[in-house]
Amino acid sequence: MSATRTGEPAAPAEADPRRWWGLVVIALAQLMVVLDATIVNIALPSAQRDLGMSDGNRQWVITAYTLAFGGLLLLGGRIADLVGRRRTFVIGLIGFAVASAIGGAATTPAMLFGARALQGVFAAVLAPSALSLMTTTFTDPKERGKAFGIYGALAASGAAVGFIVGGVLTEYLNWRWCLYVNVPVAVAAVIGAFALLHTRPGRPGARLDVPGVLLGCGGLVSLVYGFSEAQPRGWTDPLVLALFAAGVVLLTVFVWWQTRAPVPLLPLHVIRDRNRAGCFLTMMLAVIGMFGMFLFMTYYLQEILGYSPVKTGLAFLPMTVAIVIGSTQISARLLRHVGPRMLMVPGMLLASGGMVVLTQMTVDSAYASEILPALILMGLGMGLTFMPVFSTATAGVAPQDSGVTSATVNTSQQVGGSIGTALLNTVATSTSASWITSHLTDPAQREQVVREGIVHGYTVAIWLAAGIMLLAGLIAGLMVTAKAPKHGTPADRPVPEPVA
């Protein structure tokens, strides 16, 4: 990294005049990875009918992707550090495109499940290399704010964009295009990567921590799989409990091993840093609430209000716009002047407030007056939060650790999404069942009671999500004590801990 003179921005930002075009390539790849977690959701009923999937097996279209993605992220991050970021980035893009083409051409459920798992494997390689390329390209605080504002907007809005794109492709083409669409995007990103992205080579003599890979990735796979199975099986199912126990044991041994490994998979100083640890926890808790909201609102809009897939996707559009505004126009501008927690705490309060507004929804709520305000509050809150999380979590990391640090941020997202989907869905379904049982006194009114019971379950789960987001705000306020970048050190040097 080039040296900087006192009071001047870091030189690397001036060294590459094409860095902003490079950001477009990185953002395109990141958007593809994030929206692929949800783009298939709306297409799932069509794929199920076409391939003859059972109700019990259809969850694997989603779970196979999240399981491989969340479980292998640490390995993907370390590969980026060892092999080189641009090379890993291109390998991830090519593999993701091939896996998407196989999934689009699937003729059996097993073929689709395998393709989705393969997508997750290459997403685990692609996502950390994309974020670490961002970290090492934009080090000047002013430019870093703009770049991470764009990146944070994509990370927070990618799931909502997935619903929109998935709805349009499913309704006007067919479900297969939800996978095929990745191929031209990946090809364009590969061409852009070779033309625009420059990065130092990997470390040829470095070794991969194989025991750490087996322990860390095995523990994450067990946890993510456990949360995904908790949804259909229940939290006390023997398989679910065994997976949780295995995950805790493997990750405990993993932490012990990382203190002794000659070249650790995850150097513990990365997560010992107070600011980074606070960002990881804030991200995980925020995503728990966000993914739960996406799940409930998708079903609410389609099953209760009768929206089409396209109309459902478009209903999320104002929230996506709010995320972009909150991230690029508010957070990116203010982060140079205020500490990250001054954005993260209000962001989580806004998002939690949006959740509380949603708890008032009924079977015949009006979108414009009752749903839209909540989505806008949620979007602004997420936009305010995600940008400083990404920027602060990756600031001050040694170049050789930027990939694994980026992977840890992504891991907190994936684990949060798995927990949110399983936990909040379980709360919603169990609450709905109890409410319907206690209120179903007249069989003639069964349909209305069931609809009211389902919405009641959603609102109870959303109350829980609102509380989780308040907890995220509390953690951000207590743990993330970094100063504004312009008052601290350049982003390519370690950020000092404030004196207590």
Side-chain angles (χ1 to χ4, degrees):
M1 196 68 70
S2 301
T4 59
R5 291 185 298 241
T6 304
E8 293 185 5
E14 299 177 351
D16 185 3
R18 299 179 299 175
R19 63 197 177 280
W20 291 104
W21 286 108
L23 174 61
V24 173
V25 174
I26 296 169
L28 195 63
Q30 176 65 16
L31 180 62
M32 183 176 67
V33 168
V34 174
L35 67 80
D36 221 73
T38 56
I39 192 173
V40 179
N41 281 27
I42 289 179
L44 187 53
S46 301
Q48 183 179 359
R49 288 191 300 269
D50 195 14
L51 299 181
M53 276 181 258
S54 68
D55 288 347
N57 286 336
R58 67 183 177 186
Q59 63 152 331
W60 281 103
V61 176
I62 310 299
T63 305
Y65 180 79
T66 57
L67 193 60
F69 189 14
L72 298 177
L73 270 165
L74 283 180
L75 175 59
R78 186 47 93 193
I79 288 173
D81 291 330
L82 299 180
V83 176
R85 295 174 194 91
R86 189 180 74 171
R87 184 182 299 172
T88 308
F89 184 74
V90 170
I91 291 170
L93 283 169
I94 294 171
F96 198 87
V98 171
S100 299
I102 294 171
T107 55
T108 64
M111 185 175 174
L112 180 58
F113 300 156
R116 289 287 286 168
L118 195 60
Q119 277 187 306
V121 170
F122 284 104
V125 172
L126 181 58
S129 57
L131 184 53
S132 59
L133 280 167
M134 285 273 300
T135 302
T136 54
T137 300
F138 295 94
T139 56
D140 171 70
K142 183 177 180 180
E143 291 199 339
R144 186 177 175 88
K146 292 179 182 177
F148 275 88
I150 295 168
Y151 192 91
L154 289 174
S157 65
V161 173
F163 287 122
I164 297 170
V165 176
V168 171
L169 292 174
T170 302
E171 192 159 321
Y172 294 110
L173 293 171
N174 63 51
W175 67 269
R176 297 180 185 276
W177 280 96
C178 291
L179 294 161
Y180 285 145
V181 71
N182 293 321
V183 177
V185 174
V187 169
V190 168
I191 295 170
F194 280 118
L196 299 166
L197 298 180
H198 304 283
T199 182
R200 65 187 66 186
R203 293 179 287 161
R207 292 180 300 156
L208 191 63
D209 175 19
V210 177
V213 169
L214 297 175
L215 291 167
C217 295
L220 288 172
V221 166
S222 293
L223 281 184
V224 175
Y225 187 24
F227 283 117
S228 67
E229 287 297 304
Q231 183 178 333
R233 292 173 178 267
W235 293 92
T236 57
D237 182 84
L239 175 63
V240 173
L241 294 176
L243 287 167
F244 285 151
V248 170
V249 170
L250 287 171
L251 290 177
T252 301
V253 178
F254 170 75
V255 172
W256 170 81
W257 171 251
Q258 294 308 283
T259 64
R260 289 158 176 78
V263 185
L265 179 67
L266 174 62
L268 294 184
H269 65 80
V270 169
I271 56 177
R272 282 198 193 107
D273 179 85
R274 177 176 179 169
N275 291 299
R276 274 194 287 275
C279 286
F280 296 151
L281 285 173
T282 301
M283 171 67 81
M284 185 175 71
L285 292 169
V287 172
I288 288 175
M290 186 176 76
F291 266 64
M293 186 276 296
F294 280 143
L295 178 70
F296 300 138
M297 292 311 298
T298 301
Y299 278 97
Y300 174 77
L301 293 171
Q302 290 193 66
E303 303 296 327
I304 303 299
L305 298 187
Y307 283 20
S308 69
V310 170
K311 192 175 180 181
T312 299
L314 291 175
F316 284 107
L317 187 58
M319 186 179 75
T320 305
V321 172
I323 289 171
V324 172
I325 292 172
S327 188
T328 63
Q329 301 304 310
I330 302 176
S331 277
R333 294 174 185 272
L334 293 181
L335 187 59
R336 285 175 281 145
H337 307 289
V338 300
R341 65 177 169 184
M342 298 303 291
L343 297 169
M344 294 161 65
V345 173
M348 284 293 91
L349 290 175
L350 278 175
S352 181
M355 287 288 198
V356 171
V357 173
L358 278 183
T359 62
Q360 306 306 305
M361 68 186 185
T362 64
V363 292
D364 53 3
S365 289
Y367 174 81
S369 60
E370 297 174 72
I371 306 301
L372 180 60
L375 294 179
I376 291 174
L377 285 174
M378 278 284 298
L380 287 173
M382 287 297 178
L384 283 173
T385 303
F386 273 45
M387 181 266 161
V389 164
F390 280 118
S391 181
T392 307
T394 56
V397 181
Q400 66 268 22
D401 291 331
S402 67
V404 75
T405 304
S406 303
T408 309
V409 181
N410 281 283
T411 298
S412 63
Q413 267 189 292
Q414 288 301 309
V415 172
S418 299
I419 295 173
T421 302
L423 172 63
L424 298 178
N425 190 63
T426 302
V427 170
T429 52
S430 59
T431 305
S432 293
S434 300
W435 194 93
I436 292 168
T437 301
S438 63
H439 288 75
L440 187 58
T441 55
D442 184 357
Q445 296 181 336
R446 177 178 178 79
E447 183 178 346
Q448 179 66 17
V449 171
V450 168
R451 284 161 55 86
E452 291 177 355
I454 290 172
V455 174
H456 174 73
Y458 291 166
T459 57
V460 170
I462 289 172
W463 271 116
L464 176 58
I468 291 172
M469 286 187 163
L470 283 179
L471 179 60
L474 179 64
I475 286 175
L478 294 176
M479 293 186 66
V480 183
T481 56
K483 297 178 181 178
K486 83 167 192 177
H487 300 302
T489 53
D492 58 336
R493 296 180 185 174
V495 178
E497 286 287 329
V499 179

